[in-house]
Amino acid sequence: MALSAHWETHINAWQSSGLSQAAYCRQHQLTYATFSARLSGFRAQARSSSSAPPVLLPIQVQPPLLQEACLVLRHAQGHRLELPPGVSASWLAELWRCLG
């Protein structure tokens, strides 16, 4: 559900007011609980509209440089994740889901 122009105007005015939510609500005779709920919806809407769809990233698995074998995941932007030998496949799958 889209946020009404009325609430979007109040949220933008509150953000630029420098007031706490409670003080803004008192000043404009708004119910704090309603304002807070509309603000949560506004933020959720902003997150969902700005989120890029998940993409699969290529990874490279390199042989270990040390005696002890480990799994190294490298991201195209230079991120590197080294995992110890015997890391749980289910833990790695959960990590992957959290990152997506």
Side-chain angles (χ1 to χ4, degrees), residues 12-64:
N12 290 328
W14 162 71
Q15 289 174 326
S16 62
S17 74
L19 298 172
S20 69
Q21 290 179 35
Y24 182 87
C25 289
R26 279 192 302 274
Q27 190 176 72
H28 294 275
Q29 299 177 344
L30 299 171
T31 305
Y32 175 77
T34 303
F35 181 84
S36 183
R38 297 301 183 265
L39 179 59
S40 292
F42 178 77
R43 288 176 174 162
Q45 183 180 340
R47 278 191 305 271
S48 67
S49 65
S50 67
S51 298
V55 294
L56 292 176
L57 301 173
I59 62 167
Q60 294 178 329
V61 179
Q62 295 182 336

Side-chain angles (χ1 to χ4, degrees), residues 56-77:
L56 292 176
L57 301 173
I59 62 167
Q60 294 178 329
V61 179
Q62 295 182 336
L65 300 176
L66 305 173
Q67 294 282 349
E68 187 175 298
C70 65
L71 175 64
V72 179
L73 304 176
R74 291 178 188 233
H75 185 274
Q77 293 179 344

